[in-house]
Amino acid sequence: MSNSESNSWQDIQKIVLERIHSRQWKPGDMIPNETELAAEFGCARATVNRALQAIADSGLLDRKRKAGTRVTVHPERKAIFSIPIIRKEVEALKKLYSHRVLQSDTRVPPLDISQCMKLETNAEAVRVDTVHMANEKPYAYEERWINPEFLPTTADVNFSEISANEWLVQNAPLSTGDLVFSALNATGKQARILQVDPGQAIFSMTRKTSHKEKVITLVKLAFAPGYELRTSI
Amino acid sequence: MSNSESNSWQDIQKIVLERIHSRQWKPGDMIPNETELAAEFGCARATVNRALQAIADSGLLDRKRKAGTRVTVHPERKAIFSIPIIRKEVEALKKLYSHRVLQSDTRVPPLDISQCMKLETNAEAVRVDTVHMANEKPYAYEERWINPEFLPTTADVNFSEISANEWLVQNAPLSTGDLVFSALNATGKQARILQVDPGQAIFSMTRKTSHKEKVITLVKLAFAPGYELRTSI
DNA sequence: CAGTGGTCTAGACCACAAG
DNA sequence: TTGTGGTCTAGACCACTGG
C-alpha cells in the first residue's frame, strides 16, 4: 500500500531509515524480506538489496541469510575521521606551515621499539625527529622510526624539504596500521621542544604503519596544548 | 591478457588494489574504463563497477563521469572507530563495571551550554553527573546535559540502574553528532572524582548528539589516566 | 531441507562533465 | 556532443544457516 513510486536506491534507503528511526521497526524486529520490499516499492530486488546493504554497513541492520534482516539491537556507533597530513591540517587553519628536522640518523632502536617493529635484534632503523610549526610556533613534535627496508632510496629523500609524514603517506599507500590516542603529561624534552611547561597535558597519537606483517614506520606525535581531534558521525 | 578467470567483485578488487600498490597504476594515472576491465576480467561491467566503487569509497580511486577513474594522488587515510558504551568497554577489559550518579536534576544551564544546545534563554535542561567505575576504581567522569524535549518519560527512567549513556544510545538511534577529543589537565573537581592529582593529563571526549537540528544531549567525558582510544586502519 | 541474503549477468537508460 | 560512470531491471544461481 502507501508507496507507489520509489525508484532510486537512496530513496529506499531513506524510507527504511525513517521507519527505523520512527520506531515503526524497532530494535530486534525482523523487517520484510527483500522480495517483499521490492514488491512494496515497485522496484527490483537488487535495488532493495543495495539500500539495505548500505544501511547494514552503517551498523543499523543485521543481515543473515535465512534468518532475514533485523534492526540492530545495540547499534555500535561508528565515527570516521581522516588522518591528516599535518601540513594540510595547519594550512586548513590558515596558518603558515613549516617544520624543522631536529635529528635524523640510523641507529639501533630501544628494545620496545625494536620489538614493536618486529626488527631483528640489533638491527638498525632510521630515526627522524621533527617539529611541525604553525606560524613559526610549535604545533606537534614527531618522533619517528622507519624500517630501512622500506627506504631503498634513503639517500634521495631529503626530509628537510618534504616531511617524513608526508613522504610516507604518499609512498606507502594501502598499508594497514594501528592508531592509539592518549593524553600524557609533557616530559621535559617535549615541553622544551613544544615550548610549554613540563606537565602540560599533551594530546598524543601513536601510529604504526604496516604492510603485509612488516612494520614500515612507527610514529609518535605530541601535539601542542589546545589540539583537538574532531569528527562527526 | 593475463587474467582469464575472475568472477567475484572482491577478486577484482584485490587485483586492482594490487596494481595500485605495485605502482603499475601510479597516483594520478587514469585506469582503463569499466567496459575494458570487464572485458579483461571476463565479467559483467556491473561487477567491475562494484569493485571500483568499493575502492573509491576507501579513498584510493577518484571516479568522475566522462573523466574516468584515476588513482588518487593524495589518498586521505581514514580511520574508523566505534564509539563504545562505557559499560561494554569496561567489561571488555574483564573488569567489573559499576557507576554512581553524583547528581541528577533539572536546571538552567550555563550560557555556553545553553547556546551549544540551542535552547531558549532560561530554558531548563536535565543535568546528570556520573562516575563510571571499573573494579570499583574511577574510570571516567561524565557530565551530561539532556534536552528535556527528548525525555517524555523522564520520571520513568532511573539513571541509577541504567546509565544515561546507555539509555540514550538505545533510545536515540540514528542521530548525528560531533565528537571532539582533547587532552586536558585535571581540574580540582575532576581530580577529586577520578582520585588522581590535580594537573594530571586527562583524555577528554565531548560529544554532541543531535536529531534534525535539535540537540538531544551534550556529554563531556573525562577518562582516568591511562585511557587509550584505539583503532586500526 | 528450504528460505533468505549475496552476487553475477546482459542489457538498458540516465546524468554528468569534458571538449 | 559524446564518453564515462551511476543505476535499474529481470532473471538466475549460489552460499549460508535456521529449523
Side-chain angles (χ1 to χ4, degrees):
Chain A
M1 39 217 82
S2 57
N3 292 289
S4 45
E5 296 300 306
S6 303
N7 7 22
S8 91
W9 172 85
Q10 317 192 354
D11 290 344
I12 294 176
Q13 191 188 31
K14 274 182 197 161
I15 297 173
V16 172
L17 285 176
E18 184 51 36
R19 290 189 186 174
I20 295 173
H21 192 220
S22 69
R23 309 198 133 243
Q24 178 179 339
W25 293 336
K26 301 188 189 66
D29 283 2
M30 191 157 109
I31 77 173
N33 69 33
E34 296 187 346
T35 310
E36 289 167 350
L37 289 175
E40 180 190 348
F41 296 135
C43 66
R45 182 169 80 92
T47 307
V48 173
N49 181 283
R50 178 146 189 152
L52 296 188
Q53 277 200 3
I55 300 176
D57 279 346
S58 82
L60 279 164
L61 287 178
D62 271 340
R63 317 194 76 204
K64 266 189 220 162
R65 286 159 153 138
K66 167 74 178 177
T69 300
R70 292 173 177 278
V71 180
T72 305
V73 180
H74 296 304
E76 190 178 60
R77 300 309 305 267
K78 289 171 187 166
I80 183 168
F81 59 90
S82 39
I83 303 163
I85 292 181
I86 295 182
R87 178 176 59 77
K88 290 192 175 180
E89 200 176 30
V90 169
E91 286 169 357
L93 294 171
K94 298 186 178 171
K95 295 187 177 179
L96 176 68
Y97 172 77
S98 60
H99 71 279
R100 262 193 313 138
V101 176
L102 305 180
Q103 188 177 78
S104 175
D105 56 24
T106 299
R107 64 172 108 157
V108 177
L111 194 59
D112 58 333
I113 300 289
S114 181
Q115 286 181 342
C116 186
M117 292 182 73
K118 298 173 188 164
L119 296 177
E120 293 178 16
T121 325
N122 292 326
E124 291 190 318
V126 177
R127 162 77 184 232
V128 183
D129 272 26
T130 310
V131 59
H132 300 267
M133 329 271 281
N135 281 352
E136 307 297 337
K137 284 174 56 182
Y139 181 81
Y141 171 44
E142 172 184 316
E143 299 168 272
R144 181 186 294 269
W145 292 94
I146 305 171
N147 186 338
E149 190 180 330
F150 291 89
L151 280 182
T153 57
T154 317
D156 296 10
V157 182
N158 183 346
F159 286 130
S160 301
E161 292 177 4
I162 180 172
S163 83
N165 187 346
E166 200 159 339
W167 188 88
L168 278 154
V169 168
Q170 288 177 27
N171 290 275
L174 243 197
S175 35
T176 60
D178 301 310
L179 278 177
V180 180
F181 299 96
S182 59
L184 302 171
N185 290 97
T187 62
K189 185 179 183 185
Q190 288 170 337
R192 195 173 62 247
I193 291 169
L194 294 174
Q195 297 172 19
V196 300
D197 295 329
Q200 257 285 2
I202 294 292
F203 192 87
S204 166
M205 177 183 109
T206 301
R207 179 177 175 187
K208 182 162 78 171
T209 302
S210 313
H211 174 55
K212 294 185 180 173
E213 308 300 324
K214 292 193 173 180
V215 178
I216 300 175
T217 185
L218 198 64
V219 195
K220 180 172 176 180
L221 281 164
F223 290 92
Y227 182 82
E228 291 178 336
L229 178 70
R230 291 173 169 276
T231 187
S232 17
I233 307 175
Chain B
M1 36 220 83
S2 59
N3 290 288
S4 47
E5 296 299 309
S6 303
N7 6 23
S8 87
W9 68 267
Q10 316 194 7
D11 290 344
I12 294 176
Q13 189 186 32
K14 274 182 198 162
I15 296 173
V16 172
L17 285 176
E18 184 52 34
R19 289 188 186 176
I20 295 173
H21 192 223
S22 69
R23 309 198 135 242
Q24 179 178 341
W25 292 337
K26 301 188 187 67
D29 284 2
M30 192 158 109
I31 77 174
N33 69 32
E34 296 187 347
T35 311
E36 290 168 350
L37 289 175
E40 180 189 348
F41 297 134
C43 67
R45 182 169 78 92
T47 307
V48 173
N49 181 282
R50 175 137 192 162
L52 296 188
Q53 277 201 1
I55 300 177
D57 280 345
S58 80
L60 279 164
L61 287 178
D62 270 342
R63 317 192 76 204
K64 265 189 221 164
R65 286 157 153 136
K66 169 72 179 176
T69 300
R70 291 174 177 278
V71 180
T72 305
V73 181
H74 298 302
E76 192 177 59
R77 302 306 306 267
K78 290 172 185 165
I80 298 178
F81 59 90
S82 39
I83 302 164
I85 293 181
I86 293 181
R87 178 176 59 76
K88 290 192 175 181
E89 200 176 28
V90 169
E91 288 169 355
L93 295 171
K94 297 187 177 171
K95 296 187 177 179
L96 176 68
Y97 172 77
S98 61
H99 71 278
R100 263 193 313 138
V101 175
L102 304 180
Q103 189 177 78
S104 173
D105 56 24
T106 299
R107 64 172 108 154
V108 177
L111 194 58
D112 57 334
I113 300 288
S114 181
Q115 286 180 343
C116 185
M117 294 183 72
K118 297 172 188 165
L119 296 177
E120 293 178 16
T121 325
N122 293 326
E124 292 188 319
V126 178
R127 163 77 185 233
V128 184
D129 272 25
T130 310
V131 58
H132 300 269
M133 328 272 280
N135 281 351
E136 306 297 337
K137 284 174 55 181
Y139 181 81
Y141 171 44
E142 170 183 317
E143 300 167 273
R144 181 186 293 269
W145 292 95
I146 305 171
N147 186 337
E149 190 180 329
F150 291 89
L151 281 181
T153 57
T154 317
D156 297 8
V157 182
N158 183 346
F159 287 129
S160 302
E161 292 178 6
I162 180 173
S163 83
N165 187 344
E166 200 157 342
W167 188 90
L168 278 155
V169 168
Q170 288 178 27
N171 291 274
L174 239 195
S175 35
T176 60
D178 301 310
L179 278 178
V180 181
F181 299 96
S182 59
L184 303 171
N185 290 97
T187 63
K189 185 178 183 185
Q190 289 170 336
R192 195 174 61 249
I193 291 169
L194 293 175
Q195 298 172 18
V196 299
D197 295 328
Q200 257 285 1
I202 294 291
F203 191 87
S204 166
M205 175 183 110
T206 302
R207 178 177 176 186
K208 182 162 78 170
T209 302
S210 313
H211 174 54
K212 295 184 180 175
E213 308 302 323
K214 291 192 173 180
V215 177
I216 300 176
T217 184
L218 198 64
V219 196
K220 180 172 176 178
L221 282 165
F223 291 92
Y227 182 82
E228 291 177 337
L229 178 70
R230 292 174 168 276
T231 186
S232 16
I233 308 176

